[in-house]
């Protein structure tokens, strides 16, 4: 009962905050609602006993990415920005497609089959700490996808440096 | 759920609240007297007396300052973004205070003994950056805005070497739990990680000073250029909130240095082997001594070193501290595998 209540609270607030993020006229206010949203998502991870993911959610998304967003937004002219309409003219079309997709998701939930449980039960993760369990799986069973993801990120980093550096010695 | 478990939960919550009250009160007293000793120490270093008027040797000065701040007029700029302006100091202070919850002060005394203690402190210190940035933006003032921008860049840059410098400690201790890090140090032959992790320790100390916006990295509030930086438009008690947050941040960084590098509440076994009577000293004494030594170091640097230029600050962070910290991680990892 308590669990359902907790989940209901986080689910409802996450949806409300997401709507607030996209409807605020002032982009700085959007960012602040987004910050609150990230904290609620982190709480959901904690709720799933995924404490490491929760901490990383805050450090990477709230601490790094959102700060960079805020940094970029601070250079906008907020007085002009507030007057501009927040949504493009074709938003009803997008809204219709969004609703349609949502209905498809709801319908497909019926055929949802839970995957067979792996070795890691909640008790095992609690005994071993979530960080250690995650690290073991990432660096043994899923080493290849993990490395592929890091190479893709590295490519993005090199790409930004190439783009930002105007004069390249050809 | 039976009545027994409910009573059990209620007792646990009660104990936690009492612990929070104790830590909060002690932290507030420490902040008050940190300001007093800062003025005294810097005064004596500059051959002055420091505060002398209120009470014997100015001992009641912090209370006089507090009362003054509390009763000052609360001025809000006409074009400020009011809700955000009110929110900024609260975010800054809450982020600092929350970190106090995971710090183990002595064996077994910690409000929340969580497995990701170290990451929690990183998360909260990155949240503190929001308080600074949005206070600079919401004030609608050029000085505050520039201070906020500088601080944003500085905090993002120095969080990376600070995190990387602690990775060596994580590798050696094999845990992110602060209590376990202290225990691992007590078990290790060195007694404290500052000896094998000397490179990480130096990087951490520099990054910690930059994280807390203290001299020589206090560009966000450079008085001669920006008046007071991001909190220039704040007055009265809102200013006091920023002040409290900054000093609590200093105490958190000092506690982190004490816990992760200097052995927390323990002293190395080779010292207690030679001088066995020292093992009867309660752990909190050692912890506080280490924290006070670090706080004194902050004052000492402030009295000695001039402020860096902005490009120097960025160059130190990105070109020296981050590569050094990365090399430290590689070496520590290799040593851990090979030995």
């Amino acid at each position: 009962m308590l669990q359902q209540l907790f989940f209901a609270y986080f689910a409802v607030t996450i949806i409300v905050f997401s709507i607030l993020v996209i409807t605020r006229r002032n982009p700085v206010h959007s960012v602040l609602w987004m910050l609150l949203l990230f904290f609620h998502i982190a709480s959901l991870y904690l709720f799933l006993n995924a404490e490491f993911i929760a901490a990383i959610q805050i450090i990477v998304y709230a601490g790094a990415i959102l700060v960079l967003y805020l940094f970029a937004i601070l250079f906008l002219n907020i007085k002009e920005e507030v007057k501009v309409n927040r949504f493009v003219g074709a938003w009803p079309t997008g809204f219709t497609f969004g609703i349609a997709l949502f209905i498809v998701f709801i319908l497909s939930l019926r055929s949802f089959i839970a995957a067979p449980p792996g070795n890691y039960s909640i008790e095992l993760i609690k005994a071993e700490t979530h960080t250690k369990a995650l690290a073991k799986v990432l660096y043994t069973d899923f080493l290849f996808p993990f490395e592929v993801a890091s190479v893709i990120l590295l490519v993005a980093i090199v790409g930004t440096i190439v783009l930002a550096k105007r004069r390249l010695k050809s | 759920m039976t009545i027994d478990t409910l009573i059990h939960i209620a007792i646990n919550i009660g104990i936690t609240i009492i612990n929070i009250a104790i830590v909060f009160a002690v932290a507030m007293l420490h902040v008050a007297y940190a300001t007093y000793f800062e003025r005294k120490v810097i005064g004596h270093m500059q051959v002055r007396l420091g505060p002398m008027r209120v009470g014997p040797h100015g001992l009641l000065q912090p209370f006089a300052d507090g009362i003054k701040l509390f009763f000052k007029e609360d001025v809000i700029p006409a074009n400020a973004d009011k809700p955000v302006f009110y929110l900024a100091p609260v975010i800054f202070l809450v982020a600092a205070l929350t970190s106090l919850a995971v710090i183990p002060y002595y064996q077994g005394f910690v409000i929340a003994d969580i497995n990701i203690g170290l990451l929690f402190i990183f998360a909260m210190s990155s949240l503190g950056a929001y308080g600074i940035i949005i206070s600079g933006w919401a004030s609608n003032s050029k000085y505050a805005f520039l201070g906020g921008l500088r601080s944003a860049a500085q905090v993002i840059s120095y969080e990376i070497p600070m995190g990387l410098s602690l990775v060596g400690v994580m590798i050696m201790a094999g845990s992110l739990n602060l209590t376990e890090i202290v225990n691992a140090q007590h078990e290790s032959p060195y007694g404290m990680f500052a000896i094998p992790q000397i490179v990480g320790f130096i990087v951490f100390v520099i990054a910690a000073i930059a994280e807390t916006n203290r001299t020589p990295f206090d560009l966000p509030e450079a008085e001669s250029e920006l008046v007071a930086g991001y909190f220039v438009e704040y007055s009265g008690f809102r200013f006091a909130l920023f002040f409290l947050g900054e000093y609590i941040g200093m105490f958190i960084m000092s506690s982190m240095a004490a816990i992760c590098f200097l052995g927390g509440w323990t002293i190395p076994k080779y010292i207690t082997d030679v001088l066995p009577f020292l093992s009867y000293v309660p752990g909190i004494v050692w912890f506080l001594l280490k924290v006070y030594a670090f706080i004194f170091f902050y004052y000492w640097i402030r009295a000695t070193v001039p402020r860096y230029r902005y490009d120097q600050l960025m160059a130190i962070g990105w070109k020296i501290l981050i590569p050094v910290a990365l090399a430290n991680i590689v070496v520590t990892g290799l040593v851990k595998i090979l030995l």
Side-chain angles (χ1 to χ4, degrees), chain A residues 95 112 147:
Chain A
F95 188 73
F112 175 76
E147 290 297 330

Side-chain angles (χ1 to χ4, degrees), chain A:
Chain A
M1 182 59 198
L2 208 60
Q3 289 187 343
Q4 273 91 340
L5 267 180
F6 265 113
F7 182 76
Y9 165 74
F10 285 116
V12 170
T13 43
I14 283 173
I15 291 169
V16 170
F17 289 151
S18 330
I19 293 170
L20 281 171
V21 168
I22 55 167
T23 49
R24 294 307 90 195
R25 273 176 181 265
N26 191 328
V28 176
H29 293 177
S30 289
V31 166
L32 291 176
W33 285 116
M34 190 111 155
L35 179 64
L36 210 52
L37 174 68
F38 283 158
F39 269 82
H40 278 76
I41 294 174
S43 316
L44 265 190
Y45 286 135
L46 276 185
F47 196 60
L48 294 169
N49 284 316
E51 54 202 23
F52 182 75
I53 304 284
I56 292 299
Q57 161 82 16
I58 299 294
I59 294 172
V60 174
Y61 281 88
I65 295 176
L66 203 61
V67 170
L68 285 180
Y69 271 42
L70 194 57
F71 208 69
I73 285 171
L74 289 184
F75 288 109
L76 297 177
N77 188 348
I78 299 285
K79 276 174 198 151
E80 294 293 316
E81 205 67 30
V82 172
K83 287 175 199 155
V84 178
N85 209 336
R86 202 66 210 274
F87 294 102
V88 288
W91 75 268
T93 325
F95 188 73
T96 320
F97 274 105
I99 292 289
L101 203 60
F102 184 67
I103 291 167
V104 170
F105 281 143
I106 295 282
L107 292 177
S108 62
L109 271 184
R110 275 196 212 159
S111 51
F112 175 76
I113 303 162
N119 297 328
Y120 284 90
S121 61
I122 291 173
E123 286 74 34
L124 189 67
I125 289 174
K126 269 185 183 161
E128 206 170 310
T129 75
H130 178 248
T131 316
K132 208 169 254 177
L134 189 73
K136 267 187 187 162
V137 176
L138 261 190
Y139 284 100
T140 52
D141 298 350
F142 297 98
L143 183 63
F144 185 67
F146 182 72
E147 290 297 330
V148 168
S150 43
V151 168
I152 292 172
L153 284 175
L154 187 68
V155 169
I157 293 172
V158 174
T160 36
I161 292 173
V162 170
L163 284 178
K165 205 171 178 180
R166 284 190 190 145
R167 275 172 294 154
L168 274 180
K169 285 169 195 159
S170 51

Side-chain angles (χ1 to χ4, degrees), chain B residues 99-278:
Chain B
S99 302
L100 289 175
V102 295
I103 292 174
Y105 299 93
Y106 55 90
Q107 183 73 50
F109 186 84
V110 46
I111 295 172
D113 191 18
I114 55 175
N115 284 331
I116 46 158
L118 209 51
L119 293 180
F120 185 85
I121 289 183
F122 289 153
M124 285 305 127
S125 81
S126 57
L127 181 65
Y130 281 93
I132 295 175
I133 304 170
I134 64 172
S135 67
W137 176 78
S139 300
N140 208 0
S141 145
K142 287 187 186 71
Y143 297 123
F145 184 63
L146 285 174
L149 282 185
R150 278 188 185 183
S151 177
Q154 179 176 330
V155 172
I156 296 169
S157 308
Y158 277 86
E159 237 162 42
I160 303 166
M162 194 180 80
L164 291 178
S165 69
L166 286 169
V167 172
V169 170
M170 295 175 200
I171 293 174
M172 290 197 74
S175 174
L176 292 170
N177 183 312
L178 293 171
T179 309
E180 277 175 31
I181 288 175
V182 173
N183 289 335
Q185 287 178 79
H186 196 53
E187 297 300 317
S188 80
Y190 309 102
M192 47 176 69
F193 284 160
I195 299 166
Q197 285 291 321
I198 182 73
V199 178
F201 184 51
I202 293 168
V203 171
F204 176 81
V205 169
I206 298 172
I209 294 169
E211 257 314 273
T212 43
N213 292 330
R214 295 279 304 185
T215 341
F217 303 104
D218 62 341
L219 289 131
E221 44 192 283
E223 295 89 352
S224 44
E225 306 156 34
L226 294 176
V227 193
Y230 55 88
F231 55 64
V232 66
E233 299 293 345
Y234 285 83
S235 58
F237 209 66
R238 287 180 215 287
F239 168 75
L241 293 183
F242 272 113
F243 209 71
L244 279 175
E246 195 182 315
Y247 275 82
I248 290 172
M250 273 167 64
F251 275 107
I252 286 162
M253 286 301 154
S254 309
S255 311
M256 290 275 281
I259 288 164
C260 296
F261 291 102
L262 301 175
W265 63 83
T266 64
I267 49 169
K269 278 178 183 156
Y270 48 79
I271 293 181
T272 44
D273 285 346
V274 180
L275 303 165
F277 61 92
L278 283 180

